[in-house]
Amino acid sequence: MIKLVALIPLFPLMGFLFNGFFGKKINKGLSGTIASLSIFASFIVSVLIFMELQASSQKEFVVNVFSWINSGVLKVPFEFLVDPLSTVFLLIITGIGFLIHIYSIGYMHDDEGFARFFTYLNLFVFFMLLLVLGNNYLITFVGWEGVGLCSYLLIGFWYKNTAFNNAAKKAFIMNRVGDLGFLLGIILIFVTYGSISYSEVFDNAGTASTSTVTAIALLLFIGAIGKSAQLPLYTWLPDAMAGPTPVSALIHAATMVTAGIFMIVRSNVFYSMSAVAGETVAVVGVITALFAATIGVLQTDIKKILAYSTVSQLGLMFLALGVGAYSSAVFHVTTHAFFKALLFLGAGSVIHAMGGEQDIRKMGGLKGKIKITFGTMMIGTIAISGIFPFSGFFSKDEILAHAYEHSPILWLLGTFASMLTAFYMFRLMFLTFFGKFRGTHDQEHHLHESPSSMTIPLIVLAVLSIFGGVLGFPEFWHLPNWMHHNLEPIILRPSYSTMSHQTEWTLMIIAVTGALAVIYFTYLMFMKYKVMPADKEEQMRPWQRVIFNKYYVDEIYDAVIRKPLDAISKMFFRHVDKSFIDGIVNGMGSTVKTIGSSVRYLQNGNIGFYLMSMVLGVVFIVLLTFLIK
């Protein structure tokens, strides 16, 4: 079955082509069904390959699809790599992706661009599968760029709205900055090792100097910063909420933003060999986690709260990568995919019920109206808050334990970010589902639960959010940590905890007690004392305005980068483009026009003039010949 791995990306590609060519000519039900079945077929093949790999003693298979590039010293076959890391990501992408496709059939039912939406969605999944299956950096880069293109298409899906188009452009441009770092990293790898194949590069990684390895690791990390929305290239992700909600779920849970985590785990050899690169990743990760979490506490748009939550959770994953806990990062990618997809799709169900409203200040009292959405979102909220025994508890605890072993300061910052997560998520739940309804009469009349095509994926994801923790039980419990043992073969230096059981219990109790205390505080604040977020900025305190406006980072980028670039562009437009280049081009055109206008008088139809011209020409040639001789 492993030899048929090419079928996994092929099915979504076929779905993309079918809907791209025939989507408008068939009904919406058939279009959505074909798109969803293509992902489901990929999921089935992924499961079969995963089971075969688990049963095999060999943990790495390379499948050659065709000869791709053969130019001079550069030889790049189109090969797929099947190993424990790629199979975990295959299951996440196709499994969660399939549920999101099913949900989208209900959510996008009335949209005029229904077939176009599924066309893009299938293409997105195809490129993400290419990214995780490639056996060399170039195929990974093709998938990397492909998901960037698809995110642009999907974020700006409602292209008639200028603000949405701007959000799509922002995501595209900011990702290009990171992509340049990734591309330079690939070039440096090829120059250093003479190959970009994973196995050849990693086998010879020790032949390069530490400084070269550090440079490679940092360049690749710049790519990961852009794709996985870390400081300072994170601002595109909250704006990506402009796309339809299923897109947000797909980008935040199963595909694009996890690409940076995947790439660093795949390249863990470099980071294991460079302490500087590892420390950089850890510090950037924990600062991002804390920074984004503080912004989340004052946001009022239900999707943007979840967006900043994603940035914060990704920061925790990078913290894990930086301290060498690669399997813990992948474990959190997995549980995060469950509960973040659930929360985004749940938010979509809330927005669907509220007739498009996204401001939690205008909601309230929804728990009795949309019971399935409320129940499943509450499960997702408990999971992301790290409460035992939900899935998020196990993956977060593992990250924080490794962070404590590396540095108590990193642990403290990571724990504080996790406690803030509990605050803003329960704030969202209390303001949305409890208390009195604060919307309009029409919205209240419109309230209803979503169709089963939307609620069934919510229920499945809720079950996964509850039980997903079984993939990585703490090893000091003497229970199997499947994720750690599964990924062991692909990690150069697997991390093993040397902490005493007492310390692990203490850290665990502090994290859970802290989260519960924050939840109780949130309950008192928003349920008992009924505190409401300010309607206007003028009603906020100065420090609240700073956080509410996201520390003015967008405004700083605007002032420091965009406006100077605009000014330089205008200068070049006026003085180089208009005056110089246009002058040359227009001058050449005018000259040719003038010559043509003058010469056209020679074609006047007068035979006598033609004879005279011919005689003069003959005389001129004879004289010229005479002079030359």
Side-chain angles (χ1 to χ4, degrees):
M1 194 69 203
I2 287 177
K3 292 181 180 177
L4 299 178
V5 66
L7 289 175
I8 296 175
L10 183 63
F11 287 130
L13 182 62
M14 290 169 63
F16 157 72
L17 293 172
F18 183 86
N19 267 319
F21 285 114
F22 308 111
K24 287 186 177 178
K25 298 174 183 174
I26 59 177
N27 63 54
K28 290 182 177 179
L30 182 59
S31 173
T33 302
I34 288 173
S36 302
L37 285 178
S38 70
I39 306 299
F40 184 66
S42 296
F43 175 67
I44 295 297
V45 177
S46 300
V47 170
L48 294 174
I49 288 178
F50 171 79
M51 293 171 66
E52 188 174 334
L53 185 71
Q54 290 296 310
S56 172
S57 57
Q58 186 180 340
K59 293 301 177 188
E60 182 179 305
F61 294 87
V62 175
V63 178
N64 188 294
V65 183
F66 55 83
S67 177
W68 187 23
I69 298 174
N70 193 354
S71 175
V73 294
L74 181 63
K75 294 178 174 51
V76 186
F78 200 92
E79 293 175 333
F80 289 147
L81 175 61
V82 178
D83 69 354
L85 179 63
S86 60
T87 50
V88 168
F89 272 85
L90 287 179
L91 293 178
I92 295 172
I93 296 162
T94 56
I96 304 293
F98 170 65
L99 292 173
I100 292 172
H101 273 68
I102 294 293
Y103 177 95
S104 301
I105 293 175
Y107 191 86
M108 298 296 291
H109 186 265
D110 297 327
D111 197 285
E112 60 182 12
F114 186 88
R116 181 166 56 88
F117 179 77
F118 279 96
T119 303
Y120 294 162
L121 222 53
N122 271 185
L123 188 65
F124 201 145
V125 174
F126 163 74
F127 277 121
M128 191 64 200
L129 292 170
L130 211 60
L131 190 156
V132 300
L133 275 173
N135 187 39
N136 57 62
Y137 279 104
L138 198 54
I139 297 178
T140 299
F141 189 72
V142 171
W144 190 274
E145 290 300 309
V147 293
L149 168 67
C150 293
S151 70
Y152 168 77
L153 296 172
L154 285 166
I155 293 168
F157 179 75
W158 289 314
Y159 58 86
K160 294 177 183 175
N161 185 314
T162 303
F164 295 174
N165 283 330
N166 289 338
K169 284 191 288 186
K170 185 176 182 181
F172 191 78
I173 292 168
M174 292 202 80
N175 269 279
R176 297 291 75 73
V177 176
D179 293 351
L180 177 62
F182 188 17
L183 187 60
L184 291 174
I186 295 174
I187 292 171
L188 186 55
I189 288 171
F190 180 71
V191 170
T192 305
Y193 301 106
S195 172
I196 52 174
S197 167
Y198 287 134
S199 57
E200 292 179 25
V201 171
F202 298 152
D203 288 346
N204 297 296
T207 60
S209 65
T210 304
S211 58
T212 303
V213 170
T214 300
I216 290 171
L218 291 178
L219 286 171
L220 296 180
F221 180 52
I222 291 172
I225 285 175
K227 200 63 79 186
S228 294
Q230 296 295 285
L231 281 169
L233 300 177
Y234 73 96
T235 56
W236 67 269
L237 193 60
D239 286 8
M241 298 301 98
T245 302
V247 173
S248 306
L250 195 64
I251 291 177
H252 288 245
T255 56
M256 188 164 163
V257 298
T258 64
I261 311 294
F262 169 84
M263 191 261 287
I264 290 186
V265 176
R266 176 64 79 202
S267 309
N268 70 86
V269 173
F270 296 130
Y271 295 90
S272 298
M273 294 169 58
S274 170
V276 173
E279 292 294 336
T280 304
V281 173
V283 171
V284 170
V286 77
I287 292 175
T288 303
L290 197 55
F291 184 80
T294 58
I295 296 176
V297 300
L298 286 180
Q299 294 301 303
T300 53
D301 184 306
I302 190 170
K303 287 176 68 177
K304 288 204 171 181
I305 295 171
L306 297 178
Y308 281 105
S309 161
T310 300
V311 177
S312 181
Q313 297 302 306
L314 289 165
L316 289 179
M317 296 173 207
F318 276 97
L319 169 62
L321 296 173
V323 300
Y326 301 103
S327 64
S328 305
V330 178
F331 184 23
H332 200 52
V333 166
T334 309
T335 60
H336 181 262
F338 299 153
F339 53 69
K340 188 49 64 69
L342 168 61
L343 290 169
F344 263 113
L345 297 186
S349 184
V350 170
I351 295 167
H352 184 261
M354 290 290 297
E357 182 61 69
Q358 296 186 195
D359 192 333
I360 58 175
R361 291 172 297 188
K362 299 174 182 174
M363 297 180 186
L366 301 185
K367 69 181 174 66
K369 305 289 185 182
I370 47 176
K371 294 178 181 175
I372 298 176
T373 302
F374 164 67
T376 52
M377 278 196 76
M378 181 57 82
I379 291 171
T381 300
I382 295 172
I384 197 174
S385 300
I387 305 300
F388 177 83
F390 290 70
S391 59
F393 161 78
F394 293 96
S395 53
K396 271 191 185 182
D397 176 71
E398 199 171 299
I399 290 174
L400 294 175
H402 283 289
Y404 182 83
E405 279 194 296
H406 191 78
S407 162
I409 294 174
L410 292 178
W411 169 81
L412 186 64
L413 295 175
T415 302
F416 188 55
S418 298
M419 291 167 68
L420 288 176
T421 302
F423 175 82
Y424 62 68
M425 285 308 304
F426 272 89
R427 171 179 175 267
L428 182 155
M429 291 299 294
F430 290 144
L431 291 176
T432 302
F433 292 101
F434 294 87
K436 292 183 179 178
F437 185 71
R438 300 182 294 277
T440 64
H441 177 72
D442 287 343
Q443 286 174 328
E444 189 171 17
H445 181 70
H446 180 264
L447 286 174
H448 62 278
E449 185 57 276
S450 299
S452 56
S453 61
M454 293 169 66
T455 54
I456 289 174
L458 292 180
I459 294 169
V460 174
L461 288 166
V463 172
L464 292 170
S465 299
I466 295 172
F467 298 107
V470 300
L471 298 173
F473 286 124
E475 296 200 46
F476 77 101
W477 286 11
H478 303 296
L479 292 171
N481 188 320
W482 176 83
M483 187 64 78
H484 184 79
H485 293 297
N486 181 55
L487 296 178
E488 222 170 11
I490 62 114
I491 295 174
L492 178 65
R493 295 172 188 163
S495 61
Y496 298 97
S497 175
T498 56
M499 277 192 301
S500 67
H501 291 184
Q502 184 182 358
T503 305
E504 294 210 26
W505 276 115
T506 303
L507 295 178
M508 199 175 281
I509 290 169
I510 289 174
V512 174
T513 306
L516 289 173
V518 167
I519 293 168
Y520 182 64
F521 172 75
T522 314
Y523 165 79
L524 291 177
M525 192 171 177
F526 296 103
M527 294 294 291
K528 188 172 181 180
Y529 299 111
K530 302 188 184 307
V531 175
M532 282 296 298
D535 287 328
K536 298 177 181 176
E537 282 191 47
E538 295 74 28
Q539 299 168 341
M540 297 179 181
R541 294 171 182 166
W543 65 269
Q544 289 177 321
R545 279 202 290 274
V546 172
I547 296 177
F548 182 75
N549 286 297
K550 301 159 283 184
Y551 298 101
Y552 297 101
V553 172
D554 278 315
E555 287 76 5
I556 293 170
Y557 284 173
D558 208 43
V560 175
I561 299 174
R562 190 188 66 78
K563 287 183 178 176
L565 284 176
D566 281 354
I568 292 171
S569 299
K570 284 179 182 174
M571 183 190 74
F572 275 96
F573 174 71
R574 288 173 184 163
H575 302 294
V576 178
D577 192 20
K578 293 287 287 184
S579 302
F580 183 65
I581 296 177
D582 279 7
I584 293 174
V585 173
N586 293 336
M588 290 177 69
S590 299
T591 303
V592 171
K593 188 177 176 182
T594 303
I595 293 172
S597 298
S598 303
V599 173
R600 71 188 173 90
Y601 291 113
L602 297 175
Q603 301 290 328
N604 58 10
N606 189 325
I607 296 174
F609 176 76
Y610 290 162
L611 288 171
M612 180 63 71
S613 298
M614 187 175 70
V615 170
L616 288 174
V618 170
V619 171
F620 176 73
I621 291 170
V622 170
L623 286 174
L624 189 64
T625 306
F626 177 76
L627 289 173
I628 291 172
K629 285 182 176 181

